[in-house]
Amino acid sequence: MCGVVGFIGSENTAEILFNGLKTLEYRGYDSAGLALCQNNSFHILKAVGKLENLLREMQKNTSLDATMGIGHIRWATHGAPSLANAHPHISNDGKTVLVHNGIIENYKELKADLSAKGYRFSSDTDTEVAVVQIEDELKSAASFPQAVRQAMQKFRGAFAFLIMNKDNPQMLVAAKRNAPLLVGRGEKGMMAASDVPALAGHVSKFAYLDDDELALLSPQGMVFQNAQGSVFTKPLQVLSLSQEALSKNGFDHFMLKEINEQPAIVRSLLQRFLVQGKIVMPSFNLSAQEIENLTKIEIVACGTSLHAATVGKYVIEELADIPVEVEAASEYIYRKHPKNNNILLIGVSQSGETADTISAVKLAKQRGAHVLVLTNREDSSLVRFADSVLGLNAGLEISVAATKSYTAQLMMFYLLALYLTQERKTQQHDVLQKLQKNLMAVPVQMEEILADTKSVQRCAEKYAKAQDFIYVSRGVNVATALEGALKLKEISYINANAYPAGELKHGPIALLDEKMPVLSVLMPGSPNYDKLLSNSQEAKARHARLIAVTSARDKNLKSLFDDVLQVPEVPEILSPLTANIPLQLLAYFMANKLGRDVDKPRNLAKSVTVE
Ligand code: M6R
């Protein structure tokens, strides 16, 4: 999604803005731009495509030496990626310039009113309407910030704005509603951005703006105003993002670095929640009685988080004996929900900024559900609607393809299921103890997989030319198949579909021939294993090329499957934690082999802030 960055101070503004935009690249974008204020005039540079194209524009303008500026990366929503639609956008009189993350939902009505007043528009964007609206408000407002506040009252939707006005050359206005925006104070000046990484290295202290707040940045400091224009103070927090979190740390890609961080993340979650043989969750604000009274759990999420939720459903139902419904957040918000008290609604989101998930959580809250949020960003918008929060603590995930956050979500669901089970006393003590012991072994088992990735690499080389892929499994690993297929699609652009293996014969089997690889996730220890072997035989009979991800040491597998990716033995219920790693690596190596932009796949955004 879009990202904004702004700076006012004594350093080379263009460079600071460009580097800030680089750190926001992970959000996904298709054009970029800067507006620099120098000697009271604006210089606007834009480019379609990657930031390198914007850099080329900057190199043509090396004489620019601005002390205030705003920058933007755009992920097209209203209008194609083009120079006309790229931000910054400028008012008709050329005096006000603005960058925007979010969507002004009522922009069509506003545009019609402004057009009737004689204003002209040169882009298809909702953002240009915002800057022209501010221009119009400036005619009646006593000050630039007041014009921004007046305009904000007319906007519906989401926005994080950075705005400059020629008549106020010492002021950069930051304002927001329903989209994240941070402001920070550094030695060389003040900064604002959509996310923390853009501030790192320039700012020592920062604050998140709340909805309908403004920050007026000057080279000397910042002043906060509320929607009525009253000035207030806001505590600043120390910015502690390490350079290590922002670097690839010797890996070729962030995705590979993040895959390799997974054992440590699992270990630290276990240390945090497993204390002397008991699961402790102090931030889960339901009493034992309320947990006992729960009649249903609903889980809403999108994409990879939805797959983690699917594992969560399986594990909670299996252990804690509570009915669980999992639904794509984008569907949850558009259907009727029969009245039901004693519901726990779990919203799962790596970023905590996914618009669909936020809307679903808001809806559930209105219905009176207790809202538990599982997120990697405890500073995110989603957290504001939560009654309880479980932070994933997986560290900043930069690669657009979610990997370590998925593993952290899985782990959190296992811990939550164990906690609910412990509180509801639905399993024998020794069952819980055994599962805890098995969970404690997982980090080392993950390390084993990561220590030798040659067989996955060979497999990736062999199948990289495939046009399509099918992933199948049964039981708890249907989610693993779904997630593996999503990962492959996202970063290699190979069409990959996942099914419960039993569904193969109800249609998808028609696709099978010698060109179609079918990957099965099959773990011994349940009837699923034998059933999956039969399903694999059926695929083999149609000449499909077969790959297995398994912990079985059965020699006969070699005669059925063309390739076997071995994982360590874990109880089937925990196997999504280990089985997923070869699938992440397979997608990674295939995408790399195909020369794809692994960390920044086309068309995708890290946090999807539109519904
Ligand atoms: O930040 P969230 O977990 O809410 O994001 C949900 C999806 O947009 C996200 O998982 C997406 O599917 C990723 N690109 C997966 O790799």
Side-chain angles (χ1 to χ4, degrees), residues 35 116 267 334:
R267 208 168 265 130
Y334 296 114

Side-chain angles (χ1 to χ4, degrees), residues 310-331:
T310 308
V311 174
K313 167 187 164 69
Y314 189 97
V315 180
I316 294 171
E317 288 187 339
E318 189 78 14
L319 297 176
D321 199 26
I322 310 174
V324 182
E325 271 177 21
V326 173
E327 193 164 6
S330 54
E331 290 299 314

Side-chain angles (χ1 to χ4, degrees), residues 302-305 348-351 354 400-402 409 486-487 490 608:
C302 305
T304 288
S305 299
V348 193
S349 172
Q350 185 284 130
S351 62
T354 300
V400 166
Q409 287 165 347
L486 178 68
K487 222 69 324 165
E490 280 188 298
V608 184

Side-chain angles (χ1 to χ4, degrees), residues 58-69:
M58 291 166 70
Q59 283 158 350
K60 290 183 204 157
N61 293 277
T62 46
S63 59
L64 286 178
D65 186 18
T67 48
M68 174 166 75

Side-chain angles (χ1 to χ4, degrees), residues 555-598:
K555 285 208 180 66
N556 297 328
L557 288 180
K558 291 253 156 69
S559 57
L560 176 58
F561 290 93
D562 298 80
D563 294 275
V564 177
L565 302 176
Q566 201 74 46
V567 289
E569 210 176 315
V570 290
E572 191 196 20
I573 194 167
L574 302 185
S575 62
L577 283 163
T578 46
N580 181 47
I581 297 182
L583 301 190
Q584 294 173 335
L585 289 167
L586 186 67
Y588 171 77
F589 289 128
M590 282 174 80
N592 214 9
K593 170 89 183 153
L594 293 169
R596 307 295 191 225
D597 191 347
V598 172

